[in-house]
Amino acid sequence: ILDIEPGDSVLDYGSGTGTFLEMAAAAQPESTLAGVDNSMKAIGIAKIRSAVSKSSISYACDDMFSYHCQVLEGRGMSKVFSNYPLGMRAKSLCRDSYIDKHLLGASYNRPMSGDWIFNNLLLDSITPQGMAVGIMSNGAASNGKDRDARKFFVENGFIKAIVALPRGLFAPYSNIETSLVVLCSGGSRSIKFVDATSLGVKERRGVSLDRDSIESILDFLATESEYSKESSLDEVAQHDYDLFAPRYLQKELVIPCPVQLSSVCTAICRGSSVRAAELDAITCPEDTGISYLNLANISDGSIDDRLPHLSTLDPKLEKSCIQSGDVLLSKSGAPYKVAVAEVAEGEKVLANGNLYILRLNQQLMDPYYLAAFLQSPLGKAALARIEVGTSISNLPLGSLSAMMVPQESPERQAEVALTYQAKVDEIKVLKLDIENARAELNDLFGTEG
């Protein structure tokens, strides 16, 4: 992608033992190559490799930010690459003078993810005609707290392309899902999005990109296809500056009689996050009429009959108690769990903070109808389109409220709801049969003949 040519100056931030630079030197020996890494051991190995291959790569053992301030300030490189550290928070990088000088004065709020600080460094390290490639987390490409940084990069034309990479590409070292970002010094009026998540060769502990996969990515970057699309900056703005490539290539979901979820709810809120120590202190064996609903208590569309009992309930937490007819949806960890609450009169059930409580206007929508939709392939696809997260997917409350759901006729809703309830009841019976069979199996040897 960098297309290194004779006379190019090339820098690898976080160069490790020099693998990328050695490949670059072999492909284009007339380029000037440099690497920076803060590991003295890695730099030592890289220097030995360079001496053996006679690649003439220069290496510096340094922090990449201080290297920029001390060596590159006022000049840039033709091509820059970095497979920078994943999963870092911006606040962990704020001690460096580079952050104070270059980022605090930027016209966007300090991002949550360190990825955008690294991307800012890549931009500052190239010439006006230069190009940079970085590997960033998908969380930084789509989460809400990095939106201002993404908007700044998009509106200033700093992003040429985004390539969503296969899941497991960095396993077993990291399971964070990643995208490759192609940066320029400005002026880009569109962004090429490539979905390469289905490419690669599956291995025992992850995925690798073979030559065919790499050639496919290069082809997708050069053409329009079912896996690639050129999107205007206006279209990116309409997606609220989300840079997760598959979202620009998804086929339109055909939802019957679509309405926003918030329009059929009287409330959409989270349960209450009670600390484990506090929960242990109020959990008791007696049935007090107060129970606690964990995510683990939901399976196959239903809630366990036996929930942990609480001795007391802080009045401040009562707003997080569920009511009959509430649709419960797990906040994180696809596939998402769904169930409809059935609470006995006089009982109180406190929902865990990992659950969303969807309180419907039941004159507009049957809760079992909505639960059936959320568990259907169409509903799962709708949820997948709003999920975000670096390592664990989760559903933002605002996006969930705006998600489109079907609102068919009352007769159709009742028909779907009855069928859904019948299947949930059938699963409960089957589970009871399995539980009884397991008990009989465990007691089989001691049974008298």
Side-chain angles (χ1 to χ4, degrees):
I1 293 173
L2 287 175
D3 190 26
I4 300 170
E5 299 177 341
D8 274 347
S9 55
V10 183
L11 175 65
D12 181 2
Y13 277 124
S15 53
T17 58
T19 300
F20 166 74
L21 290 171
E22 288 294 337
M23 293 175 67
Q28 188 46 261
E30 295 181 36
S31 57
T32 302
L33 305 170
V36 183
D37 201 283
N38 62 4
S39 167
M40 187 175 294
K41 179 179 179 180
I43 289 294
I45 295 171
K47 287 182 175 180
I48 293 171
R49 293 178 69 178
S50 180
V52 171
S53 67
K54 297 182 172 56
S55 57
S56 301
I57 303 168
S58 65
Y59 286 101
C61 185
D62 201 352
D63 172 85
M64 58 181 72
F65 296 108
S66 61
Y67 178 87
H68 175 273
C69 292
Q70 296 169 16
V71 179
L72 285 188
E73 194 74 62
R75 67 186 184 93
M77 308 289 280
S78 307
K79 310 289 170 64
V80 179
F81 169 68
S82 185
N83 181 9
Y84 46 70
L86 296 172
M88 295 192 72
R89 291 287 181 258
K91 63 182 180 182
S92 67
L93 300 171
C94 291
R95 298 184 301 274
D96 197 280
S97 59
Y98 172 84
I99 310 299
D100 297 330
K101 184 176 180 180
H102 292 259
L103 215 61
L104 293 183
S107 59
Y108 60 91
N109 295 328
R110 182 175 302 196
M112 179 186 72
S113 305
D115 303 50
W116 289 104
I117 294 179
F118 289 118
N119 289 340
N120 205 103
L121 175 68
L122 298 184
L123 275 181
D124 286 343
S125 301
I126 58 176
T127 63
Q129 293 75 38
M131 184 189 302
V133 170
I135 297 175
M136 63 187 295
S137 68
N138 286 349
S142 59
N143 66 39
K145 292 187 178 179
D146 288 332
R147 177 190 176 278
D148 287 348
R150 294 194 300 271
K151 179 181 179 181
F152 175 80
F153 274 68
V154 169
E155 291 187 340
N156 284 280
F158 293 144
I159 300 178
K160 291 186 68 174
I162 298 284
V163 181
L165 297 170
R167 176 180 295 183
L169 191 60
F170 295 100
Y173 309 105
S174 173
N175 288 320
I176 292 176
E177 296 179 35
T178 55
S179 289
L180 184 149
V181 55
V182 183
L183 303 166
C184 62
S185 58
S188 178
R189 305 315 303 162
S190 62
I191 298 175
K192 190 60 165 289
F193 288 99
V194 173
D195 182 2
T197 55
S198 62
L199 297 181
V201 178
K202 292 189 182 297
E203 298 180 340
R204 186 169 65 89
R205 294 193 293 177
V207 171
S208 65
L209 286 178
D210 58 358
R211 175 51 57 182
D212 288 343
S213 298
I214 293 169
E215 292 297 333
S216 294
I217 290 173
L218 294 175
D219 287 343
F220 295 152
L221 283 168
T223 60
E224 294 268 324
S225 72
E226 61 178 314
Y227 299 104
S228 57
K229 179 184 178 183
E230 191 94 20
S231 294
S232 68
L233 302 191
D234 287 341
E235 184 180 354
V236 177
Q238 290 170 11
H239 279 76
D240 202 26
Y241 302 98
D242 189 325
L243 296 178
F244 185 48
R247 296 212 169 104
Y248 291 82
L249 294 157
Q250 292 166 330
K251 294 179 181 178
E252 183 180 357
L253 291 179
V254 180
I255 296 176
C257 308
V259 296
Q260 283 195 347
L261 178 61
S262 59
S263 70
V264 294
C265 289
T266 59
I268 301 176
C269 60
R270 285 181 62 184
S272 180
S273 296
V274 182
R275 291 188 301 174
E278 296 175 353
L279 193 61
D280 290 341
I282 59 175
T283 300
C284 64
E286 299 85 16
D287 185 355
T288 60
I290 308 172
S291 303
Y292 187 68
L293 174 61
N294 281 300
L295 188 58
N297 297 124
I298 296 177
S299 63
D300 299 312
S302 62
I303 300 171
D304 291 346
D305 293 330
R306 297 182 291 274
L307 299 177
H309 301 298
L310 303 180
S311 59
T312 184
L313 181 64
D314 188 328
K316 295 179 182 178
L317 299 178
E318 292 204 13
K319 62 183 181 181
S320 298
C321 287
I322 62 176
Q323 301 174 9
S324 289
D326 286 346
V327 176
L328 304 172
L329 173 67
S330 57
K331 177 181 178 293
S332 59
Y336 300 97
K337 293 186 175 183
V338 180
V340 178
E342 297 177 359
V343 182
E345 188 176 351
E347 298 281 324
K348 292 181 180 180
V349 179
L350 179 64
N352 180 275
N354 288 323
L355 290 167
Y356 280 126
I357 303 169
L358 313 180
R359 188 154 295 154
L360 296 172
N361 179 341
Q362 295 189 33
Q363 292 183 331
L364 299 176
M365 184 166 290
D366 187 297
Y368 293 97
Y369 169 82
L370 177 62
F373 167 72
L374 293 174
Q375 289 190 275
S376 70
L378 184 59
K380 290 176 181 177
L383 291 172
R385 295 194 177 195
I386 65 169
E387 67 184 10
V388 298
T390 302
S391 54
I392 299 176
S393 57
N394 63 84
L395 303 172
L397 182 58
S399 300
L400 178 64
S401 299
M403 187 180 80
M404 305 304 288
V405 298
Q407 188 188 20
E408 297 177 283
S409 67
E411 294 76 19
R412 170 61 178 162
Q413 289 190 38
E415 177 188 351
V416 171
L418 285 173
T419 304
Y420 176 83
Q421 286 178 280
K423 289 301 177 184
V424 170
D425 290 341
E426 183 180 341
I427 291 172
K428 287 181 180 179
V429 172
L430 292 172
K431 282 184 173 181
L432 184 59
D433 288 343
I434 291 173
E435 188 177 328
N436 291 335
R438 282 176 177 159
E440 292 172 2
L441 183 65
N442 291 333
D443 296 337
L444 184 64
F445 189 76
T447 303
E448 296 183 3

